[in-house]
Amino acid sequence: MLYLLFSFHITEKKIVSNEEIALMSYVIFFVLTILVVFVLFFLMFQKRKNQLLLDKVVQQQQFDAELIKTQQEIQEETLKHVGRELHDNVGQMLVLATMQMNALANGVKQEDKSKVDNSAKALKDALEEVRALSKSLNSDVIFKLGFEATVKNEIDRLNKSGLIRSELLVVGEKVSFENKKDEVILFRMLQEFFSNTLKYAEAEHLNVSLEYGTENLTIMLEDDGQGFDMATITKGSGLINLEKRAELIQAQLELKTKQGEGTTLLLQYPYKTSWL
């Protein structure tokens, strides 16, 4: 009898122990399930959050690109209008003044003839400068002539101005741009550098080189001006314009300068780019 009672007691303990183990297993399984769900939810939340941030960055980049494009288009339309006005109105006025000055030269006294001739020559030079400037401002002319020819015209214009001595070196076989609008943007970048050189650098020489490679056009602009300290200089609109335009056409830009040692601008332009 005692043996049966003892056996029953042991069996009851085993049943109780098995129930406790089962209950603990259920609890552990439930807790682990909650933890797994929480971790998965957290990971999904972080992924969604990161995707939203990435989408926001992409949207901001797209907005900035569209803004730059719009600004570029407005600027080109403005420059085109100014170029046409110079050619059609100011140019015609200078043509008329030159004709009148030449007619006047035939009727003046000999001692005054040299003065009239000098004035006529000054008007003629001014007319040529206005025509050359109108071409460099009008993007339609740049499309028609092409990038390299437009750069040559600008170099000639700088030399005729007498403000600086400029030289152009072309290396390699000319490669046509897939996106013609990139020619205008690149040329505007060169004009920006030329303008800054004339206004601030106090340079005597300006060298421009175009090197046509298999994939990139390498452009180097160098002046022998006073240069500046990159560490202390505040970014002006000129440098910002250069960087924004380079970003627009996916070109690599590197500006090197040092106080008293001139300034060098290096551009690496990939032919196969598109900004529209």
Side-chain angles (χ1 to χ4, degrees):
M1 186 67 179
L2 289 173
Y3 175 77
L4 291 173
L5 289 173
F6 182 74
S7 299
F8 176 77
H9 183 68
I10 293 176
T11 303
E12 185 179 11
K13 279 188 175 182
K14 286 183 178 180
I15 294 173
V16 172
S17 179
N18 290 336
E19 289 179 350
E20 289 177 350
I21 292 173
L23 180 61
M24 290 179 63
S25 299
Y26 289 141
V27 171
I28 293 173
F29 176 78
F30 178 76
V31 171
L32 288 176
T33 302
I34 294 296
L35 287 175
V36 170
V37 171
F38 177 78
V39 170
L40 290 176
F41 176 79
F42 178 77
L43 291 176
M44 292 177 62
F45 174 78
Q46 285 296 112
K47 183 179 180 181
R48 179 60 178 168
K49 181 180 177 181
N50 293 337
Q51 185 63 44
L52 290 174
L53 291 175
L54 181 61
D55 291 342
K56 185 177 180 180
V57 171
V58 172
Q59 290 175 358
Q60 184 64 43
Q61 290 175 342
Q62 291 175 345
F63 174 79
D64 292 341
E66 289 297 326
L67 181 62
I68 295 171
K69 293 175 191 176
T70 304
Q71 291 174 338
Q72 179 71 23
E73 290 169 356
I74 294 174
Q75 184 182 55
E76 285 304 322
E77 285 300 318
T78 303
L79 292 175
K80 186 186 296 184
H81 177 72
V82 173
R84 286 172 177 169
E85 288 295 316
L86 284 174
H87 183 273
D88 296 339
N89 296 329
V90 180
Q92 292 302 318
M93 292 172 64
L94 288 174
V95 169
L96 180 60
T98 301
M99 293 173 61
Q100 292 176 339
M101 189 64 69
N102 289 333
L104 181 63
N106 296 325
V108 298
K109 298 179 181 180
Q110 188 64 35
E111 58 268 22
D112 296 327
K113 193 174 187 333
S114 61
K115 295 180 181 179
V116 176
D117 289 341
N118 289 336
S119 298
K121 185 179 183 304
L123 283 172
K124 182 180 178 182
D125 293 341
L127 177 60
E128 292 180 355
E129 172 65 16
V130 166
R131 285 174 172 170
L133 183 58
S134 68
K135 289 180 180 179
S136 69
L137 293 177
N138 194 333
S139 58
D140 289 340
V141 177
I142 300 174
F143 288 144
K144 183 178 180 180
L145 293 178
F147 174 72
E148 186 178 317
T150 307
V151 173
K152 289 180 179 178
N153 286 344
E154 189 71 2
I155 295 297
D156 291 339
R157 190 177 74 84
L158 290 175
N159 286 328
K160 288 179 180 178
S161 71
L163 299 174
I164 197 168
R165 180 62 187 169
S166 304
E167 294 184 5
L168 174 64
L169 174 65
V170 180
V171 180
E173 186 175 351
K174 180 180 176 181
V175 177
S176 298
F177 290 22
E178 288 194 4
N179 191 335
K180 299 295 289 183
K181 289 188 177 182
D182 288 0
E183 295 184 340
V184 178
I185 296 175
L186 272 177
F187 180 67
R188 296 299 181 220
M189 294 176 71
L190 268 62
Q191 279 187 316
E192 189 75 49
F193 186 89
F194 297 161
S195 176
N196 288 336
T197 295
L198 292 176
K199 286 191 293 186
Y200 307 118
E202 299 180 7
E204 295 181 359
H205 297 89
L206 172 64
N207 297 322
V208 180
S209 68
L210 308 177
E211 183 177 348
Y212 293 97
T214 55
E215 297 181 355
N216 299 315
L217 170 62
T218 301
I219 303 173
M220 181 175 288
L221 313 175
E222 298 176 290
D223 70 42
D224 60 355
Q226 59 184 359
F228 56 90
D229 187 355
M230 288 287 291
T232 60
I233 195 69
T234 302
K235 279 189 177 182
S237 59
L239 184 56
I240 292 175
N241 285 339
L242 286 175
E243 292 177 345
K244 291 297 183 182
R245 284 170 171 160
E247 180 181 346
L248 192 61
I249 59 176
Q250 302 173 32
Q252 298 295 320
L253 180 149
E254 184 179 2
L255 185 67
K256 296 180 180 179
T257 184
K258 188 178 290 186
Q259 195 73 39
E261 295 186 11
T263 303
T264 299
L265 177 65
L266 181 64
L267 289 169
Q268 293 279 352
Y269 166 74
Y271 300 119
K272 297 181 180 180
T273 64
S274 178
W275 61 291
L276 286 179

